[in-house]
């Protein structure tokens, strides 16, 4: 029986049948950027019917952050080179922001002439939701960490933030003490109030006193008008006293009064002013040792040491290097208008092997420098500081790189064990290794995993 005209229109070529069956959205454009084809998955992801899409400008169909000068398809048609796996987002028909990854290619006719381009895009909504769920466990405020040392801090941080007590943050330079203080403030009932930071080591004693407590007109030469101090500016909020260990003995006495009586006197004033600011102090010094040597008041030490937080150096939480690097890359991409993808594996291995005496601040500086040298694509070894490469010469860091590999292997195996409910045989299959290889590697790394009921199953033995 001959087919009707309607039936004939539904007959698909093998290529069209494949494009209709895949879960990735695919569309093509001509040289004027008008859509010439739009597959079923593209309809589902965008919410746009293909009959509405075909013939329109692709920028009207996919309202994306990569349209215009940063259009991947335009880049491909201009250079002839495909773009693979670039991430971005577009606005669907319902106005929702949809994260995607995309790849592009040039379309040519039988004579090799360019007739347009093709773009394949994948909906990353589920992956993004999973990432946010995982981030929720490794992120508190502006703090990002996967380290067990920091995770224990994350667990008690909400309770610390809810308390009105003074907090003392200890940690080496560059460990993120101010970020921790800002996070406590943002989680606290005072979050709507100001956060005022004071570096006690950066100001001389006379200036620091007036900065903290303010002064009245006539208190000293050139004091023509009243000036509020940092405690006044931090009213109903939080004042952060960084490097409190550098404070002079005279100022320690005045700060002690603020903490004990919740009031202070501006320079030149004869009346006390209420202090309505929560105090968070920080130092990289050993305050207990300063107390023993008589350089820090013991009574003040006990006043500021009500709740103590100790931030570990980066060398003790190297599992935090990858998420910190991702965060810095995102920040510098926004600040500098770049689209750097990530850190290359060799460069990451070098960062993981480094001891980071400057801690998180040093890592941030390294990534910022790499942005200056890196045009696009991943950051490689060539973009890292020369002194970092020399300091970690291969002959000196072989053991470190091996330790890095062991750390990454351990993290991978633990994650696979969790996904497979601690079934080691299933874990070995997922990792693509023989079960004896997995058992041997786990033993070397000191990893143990119970069976699904707390002991190895018969199949695993």
């Amino acid at each position: 029986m001959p087919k009707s005209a309607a039936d004939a229109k539904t007959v698909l070529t093998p290529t069209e049948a494949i494009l209709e069956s895949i879960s990735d959205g695919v569309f093509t454009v001509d040289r004027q950027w008008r859509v010439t084809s739009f597959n079923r998955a593209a309809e589902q992801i965008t919410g746009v019917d293909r009959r509405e899409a075909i013939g329109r400008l692709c920028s009207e169909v996919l309202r994306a952050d990569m349209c215009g000068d940063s259009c991947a398809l335009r880049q491909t048609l201009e250079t002839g080179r495909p773009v693979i796996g670039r991430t971005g987002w577009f606005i669907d028909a319902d106005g929702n922001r949809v994260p995607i990854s995309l790849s592009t290619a040039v379309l040519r006719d039988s004579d090799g002439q360019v007739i347009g381009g093709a773009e394949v895009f994948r909906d990353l909504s589920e992956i993004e939701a999973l990432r946010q769920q995982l981030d929720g466990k490794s992120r508190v405020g502006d703090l990002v960490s996967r380290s067990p040392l920091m995770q224990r801090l994350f667990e008690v941080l909400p309770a610390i933030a809810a308390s009105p007590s003074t907090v003392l943050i200890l940690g080496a330079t560059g460990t993120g003490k101010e970020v921790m203080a800002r996070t406590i403030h943002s989680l606290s009932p005072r979050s709507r109030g100001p956060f005022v930071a004071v570096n006690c080591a950066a100001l001389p004693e006379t200036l620091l006193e007036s900065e903290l407590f303010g002064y009245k007109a006539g208190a000293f030469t050139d004091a023509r008008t009243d000036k509020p101090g940092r405690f006044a500016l931090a009213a109903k909020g939080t004042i952060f006293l960084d490097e409190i260990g550098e404070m002079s003995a005279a100022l320690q006495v005045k700060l002690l009064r603020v903490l004990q009586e919740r009031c202070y006197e501006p320079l030149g004033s004869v009346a006390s002013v209420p202090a309505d600011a929560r105090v968070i102090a920080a130092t990289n010094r050993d305050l207990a040792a300063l107390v023993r040597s008589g350089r820090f008041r013991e009574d003040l030490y006990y006043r500021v040491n009500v709740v103590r937080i100790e931030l570990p150096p980066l060398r003790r939480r190297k599992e935090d290097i990858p998420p910190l690097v991702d965060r810095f890359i995102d920040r510098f991409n926004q600040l500098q208008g770049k689209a750097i993808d990530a850190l290359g594996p060799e460069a990451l291995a070098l960062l993981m092997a480094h001891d980071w005496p400057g801690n998180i601040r040093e890592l941030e500086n390294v990534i910022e420098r790499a942005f200056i040298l890196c045009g696009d694509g991943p950051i490689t070894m060539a973009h890292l500081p020369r002194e970092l490469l020399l300091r970690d010469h291969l002959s000196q860091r072989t053991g470190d790189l091996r330790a890095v590999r062991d750390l990454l292997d351990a993290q991978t195996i633990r994650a696979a064990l969790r996904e497979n409910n601690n079934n080691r045989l299933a874990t070995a299959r997922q990792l693509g290794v023989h079960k004896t290889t997995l058992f041997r590697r786990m033993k070397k790394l000191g990893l143990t995993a119970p069976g699904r009921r707390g002991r190895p199953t018969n199949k695993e033995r």
Side-chain angles (χ1 to χ4, degrees), residues 297-308:
R297 293 182 62 95
E298 185 175 16
D299 47 4
L300 177 59
Y301 172 69
Y302 290 120
R303 280 291 179 181
V304 298
N305 194 28
V306 178
V307 177
R308 182 167 63 183

Side-chain angles (χ1 to χ4, degrees), residues 76-309:
T76 293
L77 291 178
E78 290 176 351
T79 64
R81 295 192 298 268
V83 172
I84 307 296
R86 180 175 295 180
T87 57
W89 53 265
F90 72 89
I91 304 298
D92 66 12
D94 296 325
N96 299 313
R97 188 174 183 269
V98 180
I100 58 171
S101 67
L102 61 84
S103 302
T104 61
V106 175
L107 290 181
R108 301 178 187 272
D109 61 17
S110 57
D111 297 325
Q113 299 297 315
V114 176
I115 59 174
E119 184 170 305
V120 181
F121 58 96
R122 176 170 299 176
D123 186 354
L124 300 181
S125 298
E126 292 185 3
I127 297 175
E128 179 68 12
L130 178 59
R131 185 190 68 79
Q132 291 179 359
Q133 181 180 355
L134 294 174
D135 279 352
K137 299 178 180 178
S138 60
R139 183 186 297 268
V140 175
D142 291 331
L143 294 170
V144 177
S145 180
R146 298 173 184 167
S147 164
L149 295 173
M150 293 296 292
Q151 289 295 319
R152 288 196 286 271
L153 279 178
F154 286 2
E155 291 175 0
V156 299
L157 210 53
I160 293 174
S163 165
S165 300
T166 303
V167 178
L168 176 62
I169 304 175
L170 304 177
T173 299
T175 51
K177 296 187 290 293
E178 184 169 344
V179 176
M180 173 63 76
R182 288 183 180 275
T183 300
I184 293 173
H185 170 72
S186 66
L187 297 175
S188 75
R190 293 176 172 263
S191 60
R192 294 187 177 181
F195 178 90
V196 178
V198 183
N199 190 327
C200 299
L203 298 171
E205 178 182 352
T206 54
L207 185 57
L208 179 58
E209 182 177 357
S210 64
E211 281 294 314
L212 287 177
F213 306 121
Y215 56 79
K216 293 293 184 179
F220 52 85
T221 305
D222 294 332
R224 297 184 176 89
T225 60
D226 293 353
K227 179 187 175 182
R230 301 294 181 91
F231 270 96
L233 296 176
K236 301 187 183 304
T238 301
I239 185 168
F240 174 57
L241 303 178
D242 197 9
E243 304 303 345
I244 193 176
E246 307 300 327
M247 189 174 285
S248 69
L251 274 179
Q252 290 180 32
V253 173
K254 295 184 178 182
L255 179 60
L256 178 62
R257 185 189 178 198
V258 174
L259 297 178
Q260 286 179 331
E261 302 178 17
R262 311 303 300 176
C263 65
Y264 63 92
E265 293 180 3
L267 289 175
S269 175
V270 295
S272 296
V273 178
D276 183 19
R278 183 186 190 177
V279 175
I280 300 179
T283 181
N284 60 5
R285 306 285 297 275
D286 185 346
L287 284 188
L290 293 179
V291 169
R292 291 192 294 271
S293 65
R295 298 170 62 186
F296 198 84
R297 293 182 62 95
E298 185 175 16
D299 47 4
L300 177 59
Y301 172 69
Y302 290 120
R303 280 291 179 181
V304 298
N305 194 28
V306 178
V307 177
R308 182 167 63 183
I309 294 176

